[in-house]
Amino acid sequence: MNFMAENKLKLDKGTAEGIIDRFYTRHGIETLEGFKGMFVMKTHELEDYDEVKILTLWDTEEDFKDWLQSDVFRKAHQHVRHQSQDSSSPILENTVIKYDIGYQYLK
């Protein structure tokens, strides 16, 4: 495992738990080549909005890019909209940050 992608969602206040709940139903990412794991986290102590970060772990950045182009990705995100596209969406902002993993220790 050498690569991690972070998807940071800025959300309407009070909507983080509903977003997190969606991840309990798998949509196939776990079947893809190079996928190693996922963490979905809610940021604490924000007053004006909620924030959820989704960290996905991959063997390579190319595996991550392949997922973004896959039918699995399209199916899992077919109903996901940014608030600029759908005013009923809780997603205010979305930022993806990519990382090379320099060191890891998991116990």
Side-chain angles (χ1 to χ4, degrees):
M1 172 172 41
N2 296 314
F3 180 78
M4 181 174 66
E6 172 189 337
N7 186 4
K8 182 171 67 171
L9 303 176
K10 182 177 178 181
L11 305 165
D12 286 335
K13 189 72 175 167
T15 61
E17 287 77 12
I19 296 295
I20 291 169
D21 286 347
R22 295 178 187 183
F23 287 88
Y24 284 92
T25 302
R26 300 279 21 100
H27 294 282
I29 190 173
E30 69 281 0
T31 67
L32 296 177
E33 183 74 29
F35 176 75
K36 295 301 179 188
M38 177 185 299
F39 296 90
V40 181
M41 303 163 293
K42 178 183 174 189
T43 305
H44 287 211
E45 301 175 10
L46 298 173
E47 292 185 25
D48 299 327
Y49 60 92
D50 284 351
E51 183 177 81
V52 170
K53 293 183 179 181
I54 302 105
L55 304 178
T56 53
L57 304 168
W58 302 88
D59 278 335
T60 67
E61 183 175 2
E62 194 61 39
D63 292 329
F64 170 72
K65 289 178 180 179
D66 289 347
W67 171 64
L68 293 177
Q69 300 303 315
S70 72
D71 290 338
V72 170
F73 178 87
R74 282 188 285 283
K75 183 178 178 189
H77 293 83
Q78 65 186 344
H79 300 295
V80 176
R81 300 285 182 270
H82 188 280
Q83 213 170 65
S84 65
Q85 299 167 308
D86 179 354
S87 62
S88 67
S89 172
I91 302 172
L92 302 170
E93 292 177 18
N94 161 245
T95 306
V96 175
I97 303 169
K98 301 174 188 178
Y99 303 90
D100 289 327
I101 299 172
Y103 173 80
Q104 67 178 0
Y105 174 83
L106 300 171
K107 184 174 178 180

